[in-house]
Amino acid sequence: MEGDVMNIQKSIGTGTTLIHAGEPEPRIRGAVSMPVFQSSTYEYAGVEGDSELKYIRWNNTPNHVALHEKLAAVEEGEAALVTASGMAAISTTLLSMLKPGDHVLAQRALYGGTYSFFVTELSKLGIQVEFFDGNNPSNLTSLVRRETKLIYVETIANPLLHMADLETVVNCANDTDVISVIDNTFATPVNCKPITLGFDISLHSCTKYLNGHSDLVAGGVIGRTDLIEEISGTLIRYGGTLDPHACFLLHRGLKTLAVRMEYQNASGLRIARFFEDHPAVEKVYYPGLESHQTYKRARKLLSGFGGMISIDLKDGVTAAQRFMDRLEVALVAPSLGGVETLVSRPVVTSHVGVPIEERKALGITDSLVRLSIGLENTDDLIEDFKNALE
Ligand SMILES: *Cc1c(COP(=O)(O)O)cnc(C)c1O
């Protein structure tokens, strides 16, 4: 079946690709929706050689194959791989590309789990990590050494939502022959396709927007076939595979990604403007506001600004806590990218593992509130925020 998956041309829109790419052709017993194959192992059916055996941990069941095709098509990469979580995508990619003695350049503002993986796990293996300013990486090439193997950035960094200078990073990686890796979770392929900008590998926590329904944990890796094959081998050895039922749910969630993002882009911008005009709000961080530090870059490199907003209130931590306590529509919870609006304080959630000095250097205050705008009616959310700020 995997040999004759539908071949979608690149000129087709992202919404169409999300729905049709990777679907079995012909449909399995006519089923319009891809069924779930909840089977750990498969019969030998004229298979020659091990590589064609099917087994869930080998990431090659019909559910994996369809999902890989869909993900690769939507981000315009040659191949893709799904993993048991976003962290499994990140750790497996890094462990696959790096060995003891290597040096990595990573953007300073990183997802907390990634930061902690770099400083705890990679250092145990004798892999050196050096951090640089993703907003202003003008000195990046001078940091590259003979041992430098990989440069790591995030499209939009959590929680101040600054957009890294992706063009400088890609140029540096190409000039110095270093692998460029980007975590594209916050932007999604609807708003940014890093492979088309020249990145070697794009990573996702599919737990967030790609699935979009806050009901599973999954990861994705997209890139050139040779790189994905290498990472796939590492994933098989470490065992961080995605279960077929989670594949099925992610597959279903992906089909609506384009419509969800278009709505969240529009709602995010309206809500960011509402906060910017509100007297109780000290500062709003949203890539689509002209007041945001990396607005020009975001305008150039993104096709939408997304649903993530951070705000700092005038009266600090108490005001932040009161605002969160008073919300009636939005839920107070970590994570992001689902249909329901989620609000959290990064210092006690996503950045709890980042040392205080490091947080200060990044400009993340204790009173910062991060919002993941969901799919509720924008007017209802604005009303909820207005009441909570009173
Ligand atoms: C959530 C997240 C991760 C980790 O993903 P999990 O699915 O929780 O393992 C990595 N990067 C970013 C940007 C995230 O938001």
Side-chain angles (χ1 to χ4, degrees):
M1 183 201 77
E2 55 270 45
D4 36 46
V5 280
M6 188 172 172
N7 213 346
I8 287 277
Q9 271 146 28
K10 303 273 196 252
S11 58
I12 289 177
T14 304
T16 309
T17 303
L18 281 163
I19 291 166
H20 294 291
E23 298 298 324
E25 195 63 43
R27 293 296 202 267
I28 298 163
R29 302 240 172 164
V32 166
S33 179
M34 175 76 191
V36 55
F37 285 77
Q38 198 71 47
S39 181
S40 61
T41 188
Y42 290 73
E43 285 185 315
Y44 288 98
V47 168
E48 289 171 31
D50 291 5
S51 63
E52 289 177 40
L53 295 180
K54 287 191 179 60
Y55 184 58
I56 291 176
R57 184 166 49 74
W58 288 45
N59 314 297
N60 60 2
T61 75
N63 292 101
H64 289 96
V65 172
L67 206 40
H68 293 163
E69 288 281 336
K70 200 181 278 298
L71 266 186
V74 75
E75 266 204 32
E76 299 186 24
E78 284 177 11
L81 178 70
V82 288
T83 60
S85 67
M87 282 315 301
I90 293 165
S91 60
T92 309
T93 298
L94 294 171
L95 292 170
S96 177
M97 299 287 130
L98 300 169
K99 60 175 189 325
D102 285 345
H103 173 249
V104 177
L105 287 166
Q107 173 187 346
R108 189 166 290 115
L110 283 176
Y111 174 72
T114 309
Y115 176 84
S116 150
F117 183 80
F118 273 123
V119 300
T120 316
E121 301 300 331
L122 289 188
S123 67
K124 269 192 225 164
L125 300 173
I127 297 163
Q128 271 193 58
V129 184
E130 188 174 343
F131 294 101
F132 67 92
D133 180 359
N135 282 346
N136 183 16
S138 51
N139 64 337
L140 193 57
T141 305
S142 69
L143 300 178
V144 175
R145 313 177 192 160
R146 204 150 37 88
E147 301 77 29
T148 309
K149 271 288 167 56
L150 190 143
I151 304 183
Y152 190 100
V153 287
E154 294 181 1
T155 321
I156 301 170
N158 185 28
L160 300 182
L161 309 168
H162 290 144
M163 179 147 196
D165 183 350
L166 305 185
E167 291 167 308
T168 300
V169 169
V170 162
N171 289 338
C172 169
N174 288 342
D175 292 347
T176 56
D177 222 6
V178 165
I179 297 166
S180 52
V181 180
I182 185 165
D183 181 333
N184 196 35
T185 302
F186 273 44
T188 83
V190 176
N191 289 340
C192 184
K193 297 185 200 292
I195 304 281
T196 66
L197 297 175
F199 278 89
D200 294 313
I201 296 172
S202 171
L203 301 168
H204 284 276
S205 168
C206 302
T207 312
K208 317 294 169 51
Y209 287 107
L210 297 206
N211 179 56
H213 292 75
S214 312
D215 54 8
L216 59 76
V217 175
V221 188
I222 300 121
R224 282 202 318 272
T225 308
D226 60 324
L227 296 175
I228 296 299
E229 275 175 3
E230 239 181 285
I231 299 165
S232 174
T234 306
L235 186 68
I236 289 169
R237 288 184 285 273
Y238 279 98
T241 208
L242 190 64
D243 174 79
H245 188 251
C247 288
F248 169 81
L249 288 174
L250 174 57
H251 189 127
R252 181 167 80 163
L254 266 174
K255 290 185 191 172
T256 54
L257 176 66
V259 261
R260 284 188 281 110
M261 284 316 294
E262 278 157 26
Y263 187 87
Q264 278 156 317
N265 286 339
S267 203
L269 186 57
R270 257 191 77 199
I271 292 168
R273 288 190 175 137
F274 156 78
F275 281 128
E276 197 167 46
D277 290 340
H278 199 287
V281 179
E282 175 74 32
K283 191 149 175 55
V284 184
Y285 300 89
Y286 183 71
L289 290 179
E290 282 173 43
S291 58
H292 194 249
Q293 204 186 337
T294 58
Y295 170 72
K296 286 211 180 93
R297 195 179 289 152
R299 271 221 59 164
K300 184 172 174 202
L301 299 175
L302 297 176
S303 45
F305 301 113
M308 299 302 298
I309 304 171
S310 287
I311 55 173
D312 229 335
L313 298 183
K314 287 208 170 118
D315 293 323
V317 181
T318 23
Q321 202 48 56
R322 197 179 52 219
F323 169 72
M324 288 167 63
D325 289 345
R326 287 177 166 187
L327 292 169
E328 284 178 359
V329 176
L331 298 171
V332 176
S335 200
L336 62 123
V339 295
E340 50 291 286
T341 296
L342 301 181
V343 179
S344 64
R345 269 175 61 213
V347 288
V348 291
T349 54
S350 60
H351 285 66
V352 72
V354 180
I356 295 172
E357 317 79 66
E358 193 67 26
R359 285 204 308 254
K360 283 217 176 102
L362 292 170
I364 301 165
T365 61
D366 289 355
S367 54
L368 193 75
V369 176
R370 190 191 78 175
L371 303 98
S372 166
I373 304 302
L375 296 184
E376 299 93 339
N377 290 95
T378 314
D379 289 337
D380 294 337
L381 290 173
I382 289 178
E383 194 59 27
D384 195 29
F385 298 143
K386 196 187 285 173
N387 294 337
L389 285 172
E390 239 162 46

